[in-house]
Amino acid sequence: MAQIKVKGIVIQQDPMGEKDKRLLVLTADMGKIPVLAKGAKSQSGRFAAPSQLFCYSSFVLDRGKTFYYIKEYEILESFYGLRSNVDVLAYASIMLELSRGFSVDGEDNSELVRLLLYGLHALEQKDADPYLIAQTFMLRLMSDSGFRPELDHCLRCGRVYDQTEGWHFREEEGGLVCPACMGTTQRGLRPGAVAAMRYMVDAPVQKVYKFTISDEIRQQIKQPIRSYTVMNLGMPLKSLAFAENVENMDLKTRPIIDN
Ligand SMILES: [Zn+2]
């Protein structure tokens, strides 16, 4: 049996039969690979720990016909804390679902792996802003995946963005449209909203999650980034509905997740 050594993040896990778990593991070199974790359904199973969602491990895998099988592992980051807070879990789930959607099997996915790992780290911090981290992940992922939004010029007339009010983000067109071309009295984006989106796209990955914005800007960039992401994904983003439910929920009625 051929063996491989890879580092990867569990981005999906499903029960398989009585005792096992079927995993999707995102790797830098190979994209996502199907892994069967024997006995992982039981807490005491040898492979239970590295089979948890978000867990980042170094694996030695045996290659089978349909699956890779865990032979040895070493957990590098468990990201355990992400599973115990419903807000964080909601936004982290978006990041995993998009990682499944935008990873390219058999190719170099190192940029995506880095973006996801830095994002999961950011979510674990005590003062984390899960909403902003997920929004940042979405727009940066779009940009890295070949859907870089136009944030420097008007898509219709080519005018250079001048940091004035009234520009709009048109997801169907792929970026900014100037006030003259919009021809509407509808209020456009604040310059801070465009600056935030530019930062998400351009900042080095080590710093991309380290910024903050006002409540007004949060509201302004929410739908444009989400619509743009779903449009490019080309299918419904199921975990977004979960996050939106959490956003609309009263604090007192939120479920307690104890995993
Ligand atoms: Zn224009």
Side-chain angles (χ1 to χ4, degrees), residues 54-256:
F54 309 113
C55 196
Y56 177 51
S57 303
S58 166
F59 293 103
V60 176
L61 303 171
D62 280 333
R63 185 183 191 149
K65 264 192 183 150
T66 314
F67 292 104
Y68 290 88
Y69 296 85
I70 304 175
K71 177 100 180 152
E72 291 166 35
Y73 71 90
E74 182 191 347
I75 293 177
L76 304 171
E77 304 272 354
S78 73
F79 294 113
Y80 186 76
L82 302 186
R83 296 190 289 272
S84 57
N85 175 315
V86 69
D87 293 273
V88 170
L89 185 64
Y91 293 109
S93 301
I94 291 177
M95 290 157 66
L96 293 196
E97 188 175 344
L98 288 171
S99 298
R100 291 197 291 276
F102 284 93
S103 52
V104 187
D105 293 342
E107 290 188 21
D108 180 7
N109 287 260
S110 49
E111 220 170 1
L112 167 59
V113 168
R114 273 159 59 82
L115 185 66
L116 181 59
L117 282 175
Y118 274 105
L120 297 178
H121 268 294
L123 282 173
E124 270 202 323
Q125 304 310 306
K126 272 207 172 67
D127 57 350
D129 182 347
Y131 158 85
L132 188 56
I133 292 166
Q135 294 283 118
T136 300
F137 180 85
M138 284 189 226
L139 196 63
R140 181 56 168 261
L141 177 62
M142 291 311 100
S143 184
D144 290 349
S145 302
F147 305 105
R148 186 189 164 91
E150 176 57 73
L151 297 170
D152 299 323
H153 299 91
C154 171
L155 276 163
R156 294 189 194 166
C157 71
R159 179 176 148 194
V160 176
Y161 174 67
D162 54 9
Q163 301 189 19
T164 52
E165 303 271 336
W167 289 65
H168 288 251
F169 187 90
R170 299 275 301 163
E171 52 271 16
E172 312 90 319
E173 295 175 57
L176 293 178
V177 173
C178 77
C181 288
M182 280 302 292
T184 167
T185 51
Q186 232 181 33
R187 219 177 129 228
L189 297 169
R190 302 281 313 228
V194 178
M197 290 198 279
R198 283 180 157 187
Y199 185 85
M200 291 170 171
V201 166
D202 289 327
V205 68
Q206 303 92 309
K207 292 186 186 166
V208 74
Y209 298 106
K210 294 181 179 170
F211 75 107
T212 189
I213 49 175
S214 69
D215 286 345
E216 188 190 8
I217 303 297
R218 287 165 80 86
Q219 280 308 318
Q220 283 210 323
I221 63 171
K222 187 165 159 181
Q223 280 317 319
I225 291 178
R226 291 180 180 184
S227 303
Y228 188 59
T229 303
V230 171
M231 190 188 82
N232 288 318
L233 180 63
M235 60 172 120
L237 180 58
K238 290 182 209 148
S239 49
L240 184 57
F242 175 32
E244 287 179 343
N245 279 336
V246 170
E247 284 167 357
N248 296 329
M249 240 185 253
D250 187 82
L251 272 173
K252 288 176 203 147
T253 62
R254 290 184 180 194
I256 294 164

